[in-house]
Amino acid sequence: MGDRDMLSGARKYCVDARMLDGAAIRIRAIRPDDQERLLEHFRGLSEQSVYFRFMGVKRDLSPPDLKRLTELDFKSHVGLAATVTEDGRERFIGVGRYICGSDPHRAEVAFAILDEFQGRGIGTLLLEHLSLIADANGIAEFEADVLGDNRQMLEVFAHSGFESRRSLDSGVVHLYSSTSKMLKG
């Protein structure tokens, strides 16, 4: 798929994938009509998973949060959901996104995977698909800040070629990787 196709198709991005155990999932772009699915996903995370994702206590997602997290431009803010269908209903089991700051060639990447699905390769799959879109958008580097206690996420990033730039006093590890390096790895 060419870069132009990736950019025009990012809003409709949808691929079938397999978790490490072989179970089928779908990875697709987050849409404005996903607010209820995203809220259900957030409410299905354990307190620890919420703390790891938001680096603090967050009780719920407000209507402005849901709007900001589902109405994306797919250039500087891209969000993908890993989904399964249960009883004819689509369910988010993982969410990954990147957001550019002041440097349009660098983006911060973050993930939230339901506890029951952690350790099954979903974070790695989301990262791979985000890398494809990022590379097509001219983003050269992903960054992530991860709490030192979040061993599973640190492992996902380490296996994906991320390097530690520095460890902050607050127990946060700053990681970075070239998006093109991830696509080759």
Side-chain angles (χ1 to χ4, degrees):
M1 181 182 294
D3 287 358
R4 185 173 308 257
D5 295 334
M6 178 64 74
L7 291 172
S8 64
R11 278 185 200 283
K12 295 179 179 155
Y13 195 87
C14 185
V15 296
D16 292 325
R18 297 222 172 254
M19 293 185 281
L20 291 175
D21 61 8
I25 61 171
R26 175 160 286 162
I27 296 178
R28 69 161 179 85
I30 293 175
R31 306 180 305 248
D33 69 343
D34 283 326
Q35 288 189 14
E36 280 302 315
R37 280 179 285 275
L38 186 62
L39 185 59
E40 180 184 358
H41 176 263
F42 176 84
R43 290 177 175 168
L45 296 168
S46 68
E47 283 184 31
Q48 182 181 44
S49 289
V50 170
Y51 185 80
F52 281 161
R53 168 59 184 88
F54 294 97
M55 295 191 188
V57 176
K58 186 163 184 70
R59 301 271 182 237
D60 213 355
L61 295 176
S62 68
D65 287 337
L66 290 167
K67 181 177 170 100
R68 180 177 47 84
L69 296 172
T70 58
E71 295 182 12
L72 314 175
D73 65 11
F74 283 89
K75 176 85 175 138
S76 64
H77 186 173
V78 171
L80 296 177
T83 71
V84 293
T85 301
E86 297 173 340
D87 300 322
R89 196 170 151 272
E90 185 182 40
R91 177 180 178 213
F92 282 11
I93 60 172
V95 172
R97 66 182 66 243
Y98 74 72
I99 301 173
C100 293
S102 58
D103 181 348
H105 302 293
R106 182 177 292 149
E108 183 172 353
V109 65
F111 304 91
I113 312 298
L114 291 177
D115 294 61
E116 66 199 85
F117 289 93
Q118 290 177 9
R120 296 172 71 183
I122 296 168
T124 300
L125 286 167
L126 286 167
L127 182 58
E128 289 170 5
H129 290 279
L130 285 170
S131 296
L132 288 169
I133 296 169
D135 192 59
N137 277 332
I139 295 168
E141 186 175 81
F142 275 159
E143 297 179 299
D145 287 327
V146 180
L147 291 171
D149 292 345
N150 191 348
R151 295 278 177 232
Q152 282 186 294
M153 202 70 248
L154 288 171
E155 285 178 24
V156 167
F157 285 126
H159 291 302
S160 298
F162 275 69
E163 299 174 39
S164 175
R165 183 170 285 148
R166 64 183 186 278
S167 186
L168 306 176
D169 291 24
S170 61
V172 176
V173 179
H174 183 78
L175 304 159
Y176 67 98
S177 180
S178 150
T179 55
S180 62
K181 182 167 113 179
M182 281 186 276
L183 295 174
K184 293 173 188 162

